[in-house]
Amino acid sequence: HGARVQIANSGSEAYEKMRKKHFDLIVCDQHMPGLSGQSLYRLVESNDPSAPGRFLFVTGDVVSSNRQFYAQNGVHFLRKPFRIQGLLEAVEALFTRNK
């Protein structure tokens, strides 16, 4: 679909990449080694106020505390397992919302 993707193997690695480069979209797991998805979100948010609108969380663990975080911050999430079509639709919705 024309996307150029970069992968990080941990929240810490993702944060280092985001400090050096702008990303149009950040697909982020809730549970990662190094930094949780929420911790990464908070770090990025403190340095780039526009970044939170570019986050799409993917998670298999949608417990009440995570739902509260998503709702309070207006963060989109996609529940695992998901189909590629669901991911594409979520990405399109984020881009449409951010225009």
Side-chain angles (χ1 to χ4, degrees), residues 10 18 39 58-59 70-71 74 77 82 88 96:
S10 69
M18 284 187 266
S39 296
V58 292
T59 185
Y70 300 140
F77 71 92
F82 56 84
L88 293 173
T96 300

Side-chain angles (χ1 to χ4, degrees), residues 9-79:
N9 293 311
S10 69
S12 302
E13 183 182 342
Y15 180 64
E16 287 305 313
K17 287 183 178 204
M18 284 187 266
R19 285 183 38 188
K20 297 174 185 171
K21 183 178 178 183
H22 171 85
F23 292 92
D24 294 329
L25 177 70
I26 302 150
V27 179
C28 180
D29 202 324
Q30 186 64 265
H31 299 285
M32 300 179 292
L35 286 172
S36 71
Q38 287 185 32
S39 296
L40 176 62
Y41 177 91
R42 295 287 183 221
L43 275 172
V44 172
E45 175 185 50
S46 68
N47 293 317
D48 180 0
S50 71
R54 298 190 313 265
F55 267 80
L56 171 64
F57 279 90
V58 292
T59 185
D61 180 20
V62 187
V63 295
S64 61
S65 62
N66 291 339
R67 285 185 194 175
Q68 185 177 12
F69 166 77
Y70 300 140
Q72 286 176 342
N73 294 285
V75 178
H76 287 266
F77 71 92
L78 190 58
R79 179 178 262 165

